[in-house]
Amino acid sequence: KAGVTQTPRYLIKTRGQQVTLSCSPISGHRSVSWYQQTPGQGLQFLFEYFSETQRNKGNFPGRFSGRQFSNSRSEMNVSTLELGDSALYLCASTLRATGTSRGEQFFGPGTRLTVL
Amino acid sequence: AQSVTQLDSHVSVSEGTPVLLRCNYSSSYSPSLFWYVQHPNKGLQLLLKYTSAATLVKGINGFEAEFKKSETSFHLTKPSAHMSDAAEYFCVVSLLFGNEKLTFGTGTRLTIIP
């Protein structure tokens, strides 16, 4: 089985722009979660989608949004980019919704976003 | 509320010597606990998980961890370090039956001295 894929792998944007990141989960996995990783804040949960519905949300401003499609692929969008949004954005998939699967989440390689 | 504390931000060991990475957790309910590893410029890979079965959990690449409820600890060990073990290690907690996201520790960078 192919693993979790994320596109693009690297992205450079300027302040004020918006960006869309894409995540394709492992085939058959229905839950997709997004995380932000920065040197200062570490790994922080953004949100989780299951069956096209947002089930969980972290403490991020409304500029961060996401969605999930019927094939379980997910996108996250960041509008009005700020310098502090520079980070590695990781996507993870799991078979069932987080908290019910009793299993691990499978992570993609991440998208490295740099905001200039 | 749930949280994990990784007691060491950086650990250095010589190749062939034992590895100990320490993690304490806090959870109001029975937690699931995980150790993930992240190699440079790579995503996270699961090493092992505890989900209320055996308290001694064996993972990949010779790693194991022991769940100690009385000490609220879930330390990661390996008998003999290999150069390829150099990476960042994260202790992670999740509620078993809740709807909670993964909560990550701050990470421990493991350096292997040749």
Side-chain angles (χ1 to χ4, degrees):
Chain A
K1 264 186 183 178
V4 177
T5 59
Q6 292 186 247
T7 56
R9 292 292 311 278
Y10 301 91
L11 206 49
I12 300 175
K13 292 285 188 178
T14 56
R15 279 184 301 171
Q17 287 186 311
Q18 75 165 17
V19 66
T20 299
L21 311 182
S22 180
C23 171
S24 294
I26 290 172
S27 177
H29 284 194
R30 297 172 63 192
S31 169
V32 173
S33 297
W34 289 88
Y35 296 83
Q36 182 197 63
Q37 185 176 24
T38 60
Q41 300 298 317
L43 272 150
Q44 294 185 286
F45 172 79
L46 280 157
F47 28 65
E48 181 214 350
Y49 287 87
F50 180 75
S51 292
E52 302 178 65
T53 302
Q54 186 181 89
R55 284 172 47 93
N56 238 331
K57 190 177 189 306
N59 295 323
F60 278 82
R63 300 185 297 106
F64 292 82
S65 62
R67 59 177 174 168
Q68 186 180 36
F69 301 94
S70 58
N71 62 358
S72 295
R73 189 177 70 85
S74 177
E75 289 181 347
M76 69 162 281
N77 184 276
V78 187
S79 62
T80 320
L81 283 166
E82 300 177 0
L83 295 179
D85 297 334
S86 293
L88 181 66
Y89 290 89
L90 292 163
C91 164
S93 77
T94 190
L95 187 60
R96 291 181 288 276
T98 306
T100 63
S101 69
R102 285 179 168 254
E104 71 273 22
Q105 295 186 12
F106 295 84
F107 284 81
T111 294
R112 172 77 60 186
L113 172 65
T114 301
V115 182
L116 302 177
Chain B
Q2 58 187 27
S3 65
V4 287
T5 301
Q6 292 185 243
L7 300 170
D8 307 292
S9 60
H10 192 193
V11 170
S12 294
V13 301
S14 297
E15 189 176 17
T17 65
V19 175
L20 170 63
L21 305 184
R22 299 182 294 165
C23 173
N24 286 349
Y25 72 91
S26 172
S27 177
S28 303
Y29 305 96
S30 297
S32 285
L33 290 161
F34 308 84
W35 276 98
Y36 281 85
V37 61
Q38 185 177 36
H39 287 93
N41 300 314
K42 297 285 182 64
L44 291 149
Q45 179 184 21
L46 179 75
L47 280 177
L48 48 81
K49 62 181 179 182
Y50 165 78
T51 54
S52 80
T55 57
L56 182 62
V57 181
K58 292 189 184 300
I60 62 172
N61 300 335
F63 284 95
E64 63 181 40
E66 186 171 7
F67 175 74
K68 291 187 177 180
K69 188 174 181 179
S70 60
E71 299 176 10
T72 61
S73 69
F74 190 59
H75 300 336
L76 181 71
T77 60
K78 182 173 180 178
S80 177
H82 191 272
M83 293 301 295
S84 61
D85 295 329
E88 187 95 16
Y89 292 79
F90 294 93
C91 182
V92 183
V93 64
S94 174
L95 291 186
L96 268 180
F97 295 108
N99 197 20
E100 294 288 335
K101 71 281 187 184
L102 296 182
T103 300
F104 284 79
T106 51
T108 298
R109 181 165 300 278
L110 177 63
T111 299
I112 311 298
I113 303 165

